[in-house]
Amino acid sequence: MTGNFPAYRTDYLKPAPPIQELSVHRPHLLPQSARLAAALLAVLAVLLPAAPAWAHNALRESTPSRDARVPSAPRQVELVFAERLDPQFTTIAVTGPGDAAVTAGAPAVSGTRATQPVNPDLPAGEYTVSYRVVSVDGHPVQGSFAFTVTSTPTRSASPTPSATISPPSAAPAAAAAAQTDNADGGSGAAVVVAVLAVAAAGAGVLIRRVRAGRR
């Protein structure tokens, strides 16, 4: 056939292009929402590896330190953590020989430091410090360690008041001296009386003899 009519088996049998080829090989023809989702996924893939990971809290140092041997009992136990503490969720317990609790009141919290007072004059022995805190991500962290007190404090005895020794009273000494003087005086008087009596007796004898000679 001639004219404007197509040739047989040439124009009619030519296959049409695939419909999906336009969407697969031509990205500019994708819907706007699909392009926005792809861009968001690309941004997240870049930022997620660089985001800081949430870390749990942890104990960094303590006074007394872990497994320490101290010559005298401490007045308090200090704990220092890696992150700030919440006083409402900070618990510290200290137990001594026989699992006896020796804490004195609640812990004092300041930033990353917690201070727990303990009873005074603790005896020698091993003590265990147990703690429980909450990290910034809300995860509870707990642990424990021990230290040893090597000596028991000695309590100094209160000085007893010294006995007051009063000087001997002068009255008994004066009375004794007076008695001695009276005794000495009495003895002297008795001696004088005796001498006078002997002299009188002798004089009497002598007078009688003289009178007898005259007769």
Side-chain angles (χ1 to χ4, degrees):
M1 296 180 65
T2 60
N4 295 329
F5 295 97
Y8 182 73
R9 291 182 180 180
T10 56
D11 296 336
Y12 288 103
L13 296 181
K14 185 177 181 179
I19 298 176
Q20 295 180 352
E21 182 180 357
L22 297 176
S23 60
V24 174
H25 297 286
R26 296 181 181 180
H28 62 278
L29 297 180
L30 291 174
Q32 184 176 2
S33 60
R35 293 199 303 271
L36 182 60
L40 181 60
L41 290 176
V43 172
L44 291 177
V46 174
L47 295 181
L48 284 179
W54 291 107
H56 298 329
N57 208 346
L59 180 65
R60 286 189 172 181
E61 59 181 276
S62 65
T63 304
S65 59
R66 182 184 299 271
D67 299 329
R69 298 179 64 86
V70 294
S72 60
R75 294 290 184 179
Q76 60 188 14
V77 174
E78 293 184 355
L79 306 180
V80 179
F81 291 85
E83 298 174 356
R84 295 178 62 87
L85 301 175
D86 188 343
Q88 297 181 355
F89 300 100
T90 300
T91 303
I92 301 175
V94 184
T95 55
D99 293 334
V102 297
T103 53
V109 176
S110 177
T112 61
R113 184 181 302 271
T115 303
Q116 175 61 60
V118 297
N119 296 332
D121 300 333
L122 297 179
E126 183 176 278
Y127 293 83
T128 301
V129 180
S130 303
Y131 59 87
R132 188 179 189 274
V133 299
V134 177
S135 59
V136 292
D137 61 350
H139 184 81
V141 176
Q142 59 186 4
S144 63
F145 65 91
F147 67 92
T148 303
V149 177
T150 59
S151 62
T152 300
T154 57
R155 295 183 179 180
S156 58
S158 59
T160 57
S162 58
T164 303
I165 302 175
S166 59
S169 176
Q179 292 178 0
T180 303
D181 293 341
N182 293 335
D184 293 342
S187 300
V191 171
V192 172
V193 172
V195 170
L196 293 177
V198 172
V205 172
L206 180 60
I207 292 171
R208 285 195 298 268
R209 289 181 179 181
V210 170
R211 288 178 179 180
R214 290 179 179 179
R215 293 177 183 177

